[in-house]
Amino acid sequence: MASPEEREPQSEDYHSNSDSPVTKTPDLGVPSSSHYCGRLYSSPLNDSDVAYYVGLAVITLASIATRLYKIDEPYHVAWDETHFGKHASWYIQGRFFFDVHPPLGKLIIAVAGVLTGYNGSFEFEEPGQQYKDTPYVGMRVACAVLGLLVVPLGYLTVWELVRSTTAALLAGVMLLCETGTLVLSQYILLDPPLIFFIMAASFCTARFINCRNEPFDMEWWYWLSLSGMFIGCAFSVKWVGLFVIALVGLTTLKDLWDLWGDLTLTMKVIAQHFLARVLCLIIWPAVIYMTIFAFHLMVLSNSGNGDGFFSSEFQSMLVGNELYDHKVPEFVAYGSVVTLKNNRGGGGLLHSHSHLYPEEYGNIQQQQVTAYTHKDDNNRWLVKRHNHTEPEEDGQTVLTHGDWVVLEHTTTQRNLHSHALKAPMTATHYQVTCYGEDGAGDANDVWEVEVVGGVSGDPVRTVASKIRLRHVNVGCYLHSHSTQLPKWGWEQLEVTCNPRRLDKNNLWNVEGNLNDAMPMVSFDFYKPSFLSRFLESHIVMAESNSNMKPKEGEITSQPWHWPINYQGQHFSGGDYRVYLLGNPVVFWSCGVLFLLFLMILVGKLLVDQRGLEYSPVLRDTLDCLLSGGGWLLLGWFLHYLPFYLMGRVLYFHHYFPALMFSIMLAGTVLEFAVSFFTSLFPYPLQGTVYHTALAVLISLIIGSFVMFSPLAYGMNGPKADVPNSSYSGLKWLQSWDI
Amino acid sequence: MDATKVCEGNEDTRGVRRRVQGSDKGRPVQVTNISASTVCQETRSPTRKLSRSNSGLRLKPVVQAGRPGQPTRSVPTTWFQHNEEGPPLTYKMEVNLLLWLLVGVGFAVRFWKLDCPRNIIFDEVHFGKFASYYLQRTFFFDVHPPLGKLLFAGIGYLAGYDGSFLFPSIGVEFPFMVPYIAMRGASALCGSLLIPCVYSIMLELGFSHRAALLAGFFTIFENSLVLQSRVIMLDSFLILFTYLSLLCFLKFYHQRHAPFSPSWHKWLAYTGLALGLMLGVKYSGLLGLGCVGLLTLCDLWQLLADKAIDVTELALHVLLRGVYLLGIPLLMNIIIFYVHFLVLNQAGPGNSFVSLPFRNSLQGSVETPLIELSSNATLIRYNSNFTLRSTDVSCWLHSHDHLYPLKYADGRGSSYQQQVTCYDFKDPNNAWTIRKPAGTNDSSISEDIGVVRNGDEVEVVHLLSGKLLNSHDVAAPLSPTLQEVAGYINYSAAFVPHVHWKVSVVGLKDGDPVYWEPGRLRLKLHHTFSKQALACTGKRLPEWAFQQYEVVTDKAVEGSQTIWTMEDLQVVRGDNKTRDEEEAIKKEWISQKQANQNVEFTVSDSYSFLEKYLEIQHHMLTAHGSLGDHAFGTPPHNWPLLSKTLPYWLDETSNSQVTLMGNPLLWWAGCGGVALFLLLSAVYALASKRLVYIIQPAEFEGWLTRGGVLVGCWLVHFLPYFLLSRVLFLHHYLPSLPCQLMLLAALCDHLHIWTNTLPPVLRMLYPLLVILFCVCVVASFLVFAPFTYGFPSLSVEQIKWRHWIETWDLLFHMTASS
C-alpha cells in the first residue's frame, strides 16, 4: 500500500537506473534486487508513472466494488462463520474458550463487531441460522476490507519484483477475477486477515530488498520493521503464517549472505545489518505475537467452555470457574468426590461412561475409562478405603502418601480397575477399565497414592499436589496421553496403566473436591505467570491441531486437488448457494504459466551451464523474470508443499495463500510471454500487437469472472447437474458440485 | 624403471611416493612386492584424492623427496647387472591385510550363533512362509517383488526342503526339516559383504584408507545391521544391493576420462545390474534408484559444461545411461516376475487377490478353464438365482435388512430405503433373482421361466428380503454426483420405483441367449430409466452400512467399475420341453457362431504374461496403502535418534529376546556427525565467502562433494518416508544408516586437520581419542548384543539397566519380575 509520497523516491531511483543501465546483473533466484530489468519490448505502459498510478487506482476501485458487492448476502450464517462468529461473541462477552488458532484474526473480527454495534448475543449455532436483526455486516465488511487490499498488494509486489506495470496489472486483474478469493474475502473467516498479512509481509519484504542500496536510512528501517510486523501478525492469525516467516527468513538469509560476501563492508557494518534484522524480524514479531496473546488472556477473563482443556492452575485464573477464588477443601479425604486431571498441557479429566470396550480387547467386556477434556458428571470419582465396603461416614480422614485406595465412578458405581491385558491403543501399556457392581469390586481395584516429592503421611492437597496412582497388583501407573480412542471410545483420550514409573504423563492432580464434612479453606493456588499460561495454551493448541480428523461424511480434500481446482467447498446451502471454487480460467492458466516458468528456468540453467551465447536483452529480461519469479515460486512452494506433510484434515481454502503467489507468478510470466510474442513481430507492428494481446487477455479473464461470479454471489434454482439449470454451463468438471 | 613413466600425470606419482612412504611407517596399507605399475593402476583414483585431501597436513613437504633407497649420487659401474626382465609365469599380488581382517571380523560377528534362536522371529513368519509357498509352487501375493523370496526358496530347494512348514506364527520353533540356518545364512552373507562394499565406496569417494577402515569398523559393530543380517528378511539383500549400486556407479564415474570404453560400459552395466537386483527385492529400492539417478544428473550436468563434447555425443551419454540404468532394471524385473509366475503355477492363498482370468491360469483353481459352450455352459432362465461380483473391487453385490440413514452426517438426505452394498465375503444376502418385469410394483413372483437374452429388460430381486433393485435420482451416500441404489420399499411417497435393468453381456449382441459358465460371464446392468449402469465405487461406507462398499449407478457406463461377473448360478430346471428348447437354442447359437466367428463369447483362455505382470504390479501398489496398523510401528521422526525399538521376539519362558535396535552410540554420534558436517561446511563456506581459507578451496570443494554425496544419500533414503502414510517400522531406516556411518568415519578422519595448530603432544592425543571412541562403540555393541543375538537371557534388572531411553520397547515377562 504505497502512498504516492512513499513511492516517489523509488520511482526516481528506477528512472535514473534505466537511463544508464547498470552493468551488475541481478542474482538468479531469490531475492530480487534488480533495479534494472531488461525489456524485450518496451511498452509505454511500463515506462510511465501515470500508467502505474492509473493501474493501481483502477485495480483498487474494482477490488472495492467486487468485494463489497452483496456483502450482506446470504442473510444467514455461512460455513465456518459459525466458529469465528462464536469466537467473536465470546471475546465480546469475555468468556474463556479454546481454539486451535492464535487470537489475532478473531480479535479483529470481535473489534469490528464491537465498533459496528454487535453485542455478542447471537449464538452462531450452525450454518444456515438466520441473522435476523443481528448487526453482522460490520464484521463481514471488516474481513472484506482486508480481503480487498490483497489485490492492490499483489499489484505492488509484482511491480517491486519485475518493475513492470503490465505484469503488475495482469497479476492484479487475475487476483481480482479469482472467484475463490472473492468468496473467502466476503465472510467472517480468518482467511481474509491471514491472506492480507501474508501479502503485506511479502510486499514489504520485496520493497525492503529494493532499498538495499541505502541501508539504515528511514525508508529502509520503515520497510524492515513493517515486514516484521506483518509476519508477526500473520503468525498471530494462523500458524500457517509460519510459511511466510520462512519466506521472509530465507530472503533475509540470502540478503545477509550477499552482504557477508561484500568485502567492502567491515565486520562491524555486517554485524549491524545482522542485528537490525534480528531486532526487526525476530524480536519485534515475537513481541507482537506475545502482546496479542496477553491481550487475549486479558480479555477472556471469565470462565467459559474452554476451561476443561487447561490445567487446574490455569483455570484458577478464570472468573466463575469453580477453582477461582473459591473455598474448597484443602485436603482430600476418604469419602470425597474428586475429579482427577492429567497433569500435562491439554491433559483430560479421568472419565468413564457406561459403554464397554469392544470385544477384541479382552474376553470379558469391561467399562471404558478415558480422559475427557470437557467437564461433566462422568468425571467424578469417590475416594474409598481399599478394605472398607461401606462408604466413609465422617469423611474427615485425610488421604496421605502411600495409602491404598479404591476409586469408585459415582455415576456407574464401578471401581477403577486395571489388569494385565494390553491397552487398546498402546500395546506396551495395560488396560484400565471400570469394574464391579454397586461399588464392590475385586483386588485389581486397589491403587496406591504417591504424592510427588512426598513422604509417608503427607496429605494429598487439592490442585497443589501432583500424584501418581500405582496399581498395586500389576505395579503399573495410571497414565494418559494424547492418543485418541477410535469411534467406539467417542474419540476421547486413551487412559492406560504404564509400567514405567517416571513417565511424565503418569502425573495427575485433584481438580474438583466435594466434601461437605471437610472445612472449606481459601488458600492460594499456584497462580501461573503469563509465560506459563502462554506456553500451556500453545501445547494445547499444538495437540488439538494434530488431532483434527475429518468428521463422518465430511468432504475433505487432498493437497493435489488444489492447484487443479479439482473440487470446491460449499459455503452456503439451501436456496441461496455459495460454492467456493476457484475461477477455473485463472487457476488453469496459472498452472500452464507455472509450467512455462519452470521450462524457462530449466532451459536457461541448461543453456547457461553449456555456456551458449544469446542476445543480452533477452538475458537481462530472463534474469529479471527468473529472480522475481523465482522468489514467487519459492513463496508458492513454502505455502503449498508443507501441507503434504500435515496429518490433520485439510480443506480447499488452505490453498489460497499459495494461490496468491501462483497468481503473481502467472502475471509475471504472462507479461514475459506477451513481450516475447511481440518481439517476434516487425518493429512498427509491435505496439499494436502488444496492446491488443493485453486487451484480449484481460477481457478473457474478466469474461471468465463474469461467467463464474454466480458461484460467489450466490445461486438460486436447480443444481448444475440438472440439464436445464441456468448454471449447467459452468459445470466443466464432473467433480464440481455446483 | 621409473614410476613417473608408468603413471600418467604428476599427481599419481605423488600418490605412489606417499604410498611407499606410508608403508615404511607401518601405515594401514600393506604393500608387498611393490611394482609401480600395479600400484598406479590399483590406486590411481583414491590416492590422488588422498594426497589432495591431506595436503594441509604435515606430509606435504615429503613431495619433493625421492624414492626411498634410491641414492642421489651416481652409481658406480657394476660388472654384474641384474636382468631387468621378470620371471615367466608370475602373479604379483597385493593383500590388504587390514581389509581382510575387517571382513573376517564382520563375517564372524554376523555368523556367530546364527542358529539361535531356533524360533520364528518377527517377519520370518512372512518370508519363510513365502519361501515355502515357492517350494510348494502355490500362488501367493505379497507387496514385495519376488527376488529376495526366490533366493530364500532357492536355498531351501538346494537344502532339500519341501516347503511343507508354513511358518504359522512368531515364536514357533523350527522343525528339523527347515533349513532355517542356511536361509539366515544368505542374509548374513549379504550383511557381511556390505563391509568391503562400504570400504570401497569410501575409497571411491576419495576418502583415506583410514576413514574407509573406520567406516567398515562402524558397519561391523552396528547392532541393527547385524540383527537384520541374521533373520530371514529382505532388508539385508536390499541394503547390500543399494550400496553395491552406489559403488558401481562411483566406479563408473571414475571411468569418465575414457567414455564409451569397455570398462566404462562394464561399470555402467554393473550399476544397472545392481539396481535391478535391488528393485527385485523391495520396491523401496526406488530410493536407491533415485540416489543413483541424482548422481547421474550431477554427472551429466558436469558433462553439459564441457564444450569438447558435442551435442550428439551428449545425447548418446544421456541415452546410454537411460538404457543401462533404467532399461536393465526393468528387464530384470520382468525376468524375475516371469520366473515368479513360472514357479507359482498352482492355485493358492494368493488367488483371492487377483482377477478371475488370472486365477484361471493357475492349476487347480476353482474355476476350471473352459471350452466354448462346454457342458458347463448353462443357459440362464428367468427366476434363476445368482451372485454378482464386482470386477474392480473384490466384492459381491449385497443387500440386507437395514435402511440408508435418513440424514447423512453432512446434512444430505437419503431415500431411507434398503441399503444395497458390495460385501467382501460370501454371504446368503449376496443372492439375487433375475425375473421378467412384472409391470407392477408388487414383488409377487412372476412364473415365467423363459430364456434370458442379451438386451432384455429385467428386474432383479434380492432373494432373502424380496426387495427390488432400484435406482433413483437421490445422491449416493459417498459420491454425491452419482445415483443411489436401494432395495425398493414402497412408502407410497414420492419415490417412484425405477426397477428395470437392461442386461448387457460383454461381447454379446442384443438378442443372443446368455450362457453362464462358472465365473466367466461378465455383464453390465444398465438402468433403463436413467441410462446409467450399476457400479461399485470401491469406497467404504461408514459404520451404518458395516463398512461395506458403496454401490451406485454411474453415468460413465463404459468404465470397468460397471462390469460385474456372475459368480454362482442356480437355474430353475424345467421339464423336458424346456430342455428341448435349450438344445434348439444351443444349436442355433453354435451355428450362428460358426457363421460369424467375430463374435467373442468367452474370455481368452490364456492370460498372457504381460497381463499378469501388469495386474500384479497394480495390486502391489495398491496393497501398500491398505496395510493395517501395527503396535510397534514407528513414524520416521523417531528413527535417527533411536527413540523407539522394534521387538522381534521374546522367548516364552526366559527373558531372552530379539529386539531391533541400533548401537545407540553410533546412532547418536551419526546424527551428531551430520550436524557437525553441516556446521563445518557452513563455517568453511562463511570463511571462504570472506576470502579466508581455513582449508584450501579445492579441498573445500572436495569436502563438500564427498560429504554432500553421503548426506544426500542419507536424506534420499530417509526423507521420502515422511510422505508415506502406511505403517512404517524401524528397519525401514536401515538402508540409509551406512551413509551416516561413512560420514562419521570421514569426519573422524577430517577433524585431524583441526589438531594441526595444537602442540605435538596434544596432536598425538587425537588418534587416541578416535581409538577410545572405537572401544566405546564395541562396548556399547556388546552391551546390546543380547538383544541382537537373542542370547544370553538377561534378568529383568539387566534389561532395565539397558533401558536407557524411556520410550524403548524392551520386553520381559512380568512374572519374572516379582
Side-chain angles (χ1 to χ4, degrees), chain A residues 257 259-263 265-267 270 427-428 430 499-500 503 552-553 605-606 609-612 644-645 734, chain B residues 301 303-307 309-310 314 409-410 481 542 631-632 685-686 689-691 723 803 806 808-809 814:
Chain A
W257 178 248
L259 291 171
W260 176 260
D262 186 350
L263 294 178
L265 300 179
T266 62
M267 288 308 272
I270 290 173
T428 48
Y430 300 100
R500 271 170 236 135
D503 196 308
E552 189 71 45
L605 286 177
L606 286 174
Q609 171 76 3
R610 186 75 183 156
L612 299 180
Y644 281 97
L645 299 175
Q734 272 298 324
Chain B
W301 185 249
L303 290 183
L304 185 66
D306 186 353
K307 288 217 171 166
I309 302 173
D310 66 10
L314 211 57
D410 58 354
T481 56
F632 293 116
L686 282 172
K689 183 86 178 170
R690 294 293 286 184
L691 302 183
L723 299 175
H803 207 140
E806 270 291 308
W808 283 355
D809 291 310
M814 268 303 168

Side-chain angles (χ1 to χ4, degrees), chain A residues 51-257:
Chain A
Y52 172 89
Y53 287 116
V54 169
L56 182 58
V58 167
I59 285 286
T60 313
L61 289 176
S63 182
I64 294 171
T66 50
R67 266 57 178 170
L68 293 182
Y69 175 63
K70 284 195 176 182
I71 186 84
D72 55 340
E73 289 183 10
Y75 309 111
H76 55 248
V77 178
W79 197 52
D80 268 359
E81 284 190 342
T82 168
H83 296 306
F84 303 117
K86 231 181 268 171
H87 295 159
S89 305
W90 285 328
Y91 272 120
I92 294 169
Q93 296 166 2
R95 285 176 53 203
F96 189 78
F97 68 93
F98 165 72
D99 183 39
V100 293
H101 300 300
L104 180 60
K106 292 163 285 181
L107 277 171
I108 292 176
I109 296 169
V111 168
V114 170
L115 293 181
T116 53
Y118 172 60
N119 59 6
S121 57
F122 188 70
E123 302 90 352
F124 288 97
E125 219 148 60
E126 56 176 12
Q129 191 189 10
Q130 292 294 326
Y131 279 117
K132 301 204 173 80
D133 301 333
T134 316
Y136 65 98
V137 180
M139 292 188 275
R140 279 200 186 156
V141 168
C143 289
V145 166
L146 292 175
L148 72 86
L149 287 175
V150 163
V151 180
L153 276 174
Y155 178 94
L156 291 168
T157 312
V158 171
W159 193 88
E160 286 300 328
L161 290 173
V162 292
R163 307 269 153 173
S164 158
T165 310
T166 315
L169 193 66
L170 283 168
V173 170
M174 283 167 98
L175 277 173
L176 184 73
C177 296
E178 213 295 289
T179 45
T181 320
L182 170 60
V183 173
L184 276 185
S185 310
Q186 285 199 315
Y187 298 92
I188 306 174
L189 299 174
L190 296 190
D191 300 82
L194 176 73
I195 296 174
F196 166 74
F197 288 129
I198 288 175
M199 288 295 279
S202 314
F203 167 65
C204 294
T205 308
R207 194 66 201 267
F208 164 71
I209 293 296
N210 283 345
C211 293
R212 58 158 46 171
N213 288 343
E214 290 113 31
F216 303 114
D217 73 348
M218 270 305 288
E219 204 188 341
W220 188 91
W221 278 112
Y222 178 75
W223 291 111
L224 179 60
S225 51
L226 221 51
S227 304
M229 185 179 99
F230 284 125
I231 60 177
C233 289
F235 191 65
S236 313
V237 174
K238 270 192 184 183
W239 281 355
V240 281
L242 197 63
F243 304 151
V244 78
I245 295 183
L247 177 66
V248 174
L250 287 176
T251 314
T252 311
L253 280 183
K254 171 74 171 62
D255 192 25
L256 281 173
W257 178 248

Side-chain angles (χ1 to χ4, degrees), chain A residues 174 203 301 443 449 490 683 720:
Chain A
M174 283 167 98
F203 167 65
S301 54
V449 179
W490 313 97
Y683 179 71

Side-chain angles (χ1 to χ4, degrees), chain B residues 553-810:
Chain B
T553 55
D554 196 339
K555 265 170 286 186
V557 293
E558 292 309 318
S560 63
Q561 79 280 6
T562 60
I563 302 177
W564 299 80
T565 308
M566 195 181 277
E567 282 256 304
D568 309 292
L569 180 74
Q570 278 182 305
V571 192
V572 195
R573 280 286 164 203
D575 47 15
N576 286 340
K577 194 182 136 206
T578 56
R579 227 163 276 156
D580 292 346
E581 185 194 13
E582 272 179 34
E583 280 305 310
I585 290 173
K586 194 166 183 175
K587 271 186 194 137
E588 178 203 358
W589 168 242
I590 289 174
S591 62
Q592 197 185 339
K593 271 208 53 108
Q594 280 163 346
N596 187 359
Q597 285 294 327
N598 293 340
V599 181
E600 274 184 49
F601 177 59
T602 50
V603 185
S604 137
D605 189 36
S606 60
Y607 195 50
S608 77
F609 165 71
L610 202 66
E611 281 171 294
K612 278 171 142 186
Y613 177 75
L614 292 177
E615 184 184 330
I616 210 84
Q617 300 293 339
H618 171 74
H619 288 311
M620 285 165 79
L621 282 177
T622 46
H624 265 291
S626 55
L627 290 176
D629 224 357
H630 192 281
F632 293 116
T634 45
H637 61 85
N638 280 330
W639 297 343
L641 287 174
L642 195 63
S643 45
K644 281 281 187 181
T645 61
L646 178 54
Y648 271 11
W649 168 77
L650 174 65
D651 194 24
E652 277 178 12
T653 50
S654 69
N655 275 331
S656 49
Q657 59 179 312
V658 175
T659 297
L660 180 71
M661 63 176 311
N663 184 337
L665 197 60
L666 278 178
W667 284 49
W668 295 334
C671 289
V674 174
L676 187 63
F677 170 78
L678 296 177
L679 182 73
L680 272 181
S681 304
V683 168
Y684 292 154
L686 282 172
S688 60
K689 183 86 178 170
R690 294 293 286 184
L691 302 183
V692 176
Y693 296 108
I694 302 174
I695 55 177
Q696 290 308 304
E699 206 180 316
F700 173 52
E701 198 189 321
W703 158 262
L704 267 191
T705 49
R706 285 177 227 151
V709 166
L710 290 177
V711 173
C713 281
W714 177 67
L715 288 178
V716 167
H717 279 108
F718 174 46
L719 288 190
Y721 284 106
F722 283 98
L723 299 175
L724 282 187
S725 50
R726 59 161 279 189
V727 57
L728 294 168
F729 294 100
L730 188 63
H731 60 74
H732 286 119
Y733 180 62
L734 297 186
S736 63
L737 189 64
C739 284
Q740 262 201 351
L741 300 180
M742 286 192 265
L743 188 71
L744 184 63
L747 268 169
C748 285
D749 192 34
H750 174 81
L751 286 180
H752 200 235
I753 65 162
W754 283 85
T755 61
N756 272 350
T757 49
L758 300 174
V761 185
L762 290 178
R763 224 183 289 162
M764 294 295 291
L765 220 57
Y766 182 74
L768 285 179
L769 269 178
V770 173
I771 289 167
L772 186 70
F773 178 69
C774 291
V775 172
C776 291
V777 164
V778 176
S780 130
F781 170 76
L782 291 176
V783 165
F784 293 99
F787 299 138
T788 308
Y789 291 97
F791 173 90
S793 167
L794 299 175
S795 71
V796 173
E797 281 67 39
Q798 283 170 318
I799 292 177
K800 281 189 171 163
W801 183 80
R802 283 166 175 78
H803 207 140
W804 292 2
I805 301 285
E806 270 291 308
T807 47
W808 283 355
D809 291 310
L810 297 176

Side-chain angles (χ1 to χ4, degrees), chain B residues 229-479:
Chain B
S229 325
R230 296 169 51 82
V231 289
I232 307 174
M233 280 172 75
L234 305 178
D235 302 79
S236 182
F237 297 140
L238 177 74
I239 298 170
L240 178 69
F241 296 146
T242 304
Y243 284 91
L244 214 52
S245 68
L246 184 63
L247 175 63
C248 292
F249 182 81
L250 291 172
K251 292 257 190 206
F252 159 73
Y253 182 83
H254 284 301
Q255 300 298 324
R256 66 203 323 252
H257 59 90
F260 311 119
S261 66
S263 66
W264 186 90
H265 279 286
K266 183 180 80 180
W267 285 114
L268 190 54
Y270 283 171
T271 314
L273 214 61
L275 288 174
L277 290 173
M278 180 176 74
L279 284 173
V281 174
K282 261 192 177 186
Y283 278 152
S284 59
L286 283 172
L287 301 179
L289 184 68
C291 216
V292 170
L294 283 178
L295 286 172
T296 311
L297 286 182
C298 294
D299 182 26
L300 287 172
W301 185 249
Q302 270 186 306
L303 290 183
L304 185 66
D306 186 353
K307 288 217 171 166
I309 302 173
D310 66 10
V311 178
T312 44
E313 205 183 330
L314 211 57
L316 196 61
H317 270 290
V318 176
L319 190 71
L320 279 176
R321 278 169 176 78
V323 169
Y324 278 115
L325 300 183
L326 296 176
I328 291 186
L330 184 65
L331 191 68
M332 284 175 69
N333 194 264
I334 291 174
I335 293 172
I336 290 167
F337 269 98
Y338 190 76
V339 174
H340 175 77
F341 292 135
L342 207 62
V343 174
L344 300 179
N345 59 3
Q346 318 260 353
N351 270 29
S352 56
F353 291 92
V354 293
S355 67
L356 279 169
F358 195 123
R359 270 187 264 170
N360 289 337
S361 69
L362 300 167
Q363 288 171 21
S365 285
V366 192
E367 297 80 15
T368 46
L370 287 174
I371 312 141
E372 282 187 12
L373 279 191
S374 64
S375 50
N376 281 340
T378 317
L379 193 61
I380 305 179
R381 292 177 165 278
Y382 283 106
N383 287 343
S384 308
N385 298 332
F386 61 92
T387 62
L388 278 186
R389 189 165 190 217
S390 166
T391 33
D392 259 15
V393 188
S394 166
C395 62
W396 283 272
L397 188 68
H398 179 98
S399 183
H400 41 224
D401 244 347
H402 297 267
L403 307 182
Y404 284 110
L406 201 52
K407 253 191 181 331
Y408 298 121
D410 58 354
R412 287 184 298 122
S414 80
S415 66
Y416 201 50
Q417 297 185 350
Q418 181 165 316
Q419 296 172 10
V420 172
T421 63
C422 198
Y423 187 43
D424 322 46
F425 301 97
K426 292 227 174 193
D427 188 278
N429 266 328
N430 297 346
W432 299 81
T433 309
I434 184 167
R435 73 170 204 207
K436 269 244 163 83
T440 53
N441 299 343
D442 71 77
S443 55
S444 63
I445 304 213
S446 104
E447 294 298 329
D448 192 334
I449 54 164
V451 176
V452 178
R453 286 177 184 270
N454 192 30
D456 277 3
E457 206 163 271
V458 301
E459 287 177 352
V460 179
V461 190
H462 185 238
L463 186 65
L464 293 186
S465 66
K467 299 284 188 292
L468 277 88
L469 190 70
N470 180 40
S471 175
H472 39 215
D473 186 18
V474 174
L478 298 182
S479 317

Side-chain angles (χ1 to χ4, degrees), chain A residues 572-594:
Chain A
S572 165
D575 286 339
Y576 182 91
R577 293 193 309 276
V578 174
Y579 190 58
L580 172 67
L581 183 76
N583 181 340
V585 174
V586 173
F587 260 72
W588 295 338
S589 52
C590 278
V592 171
L593 292 165
F594 182 82

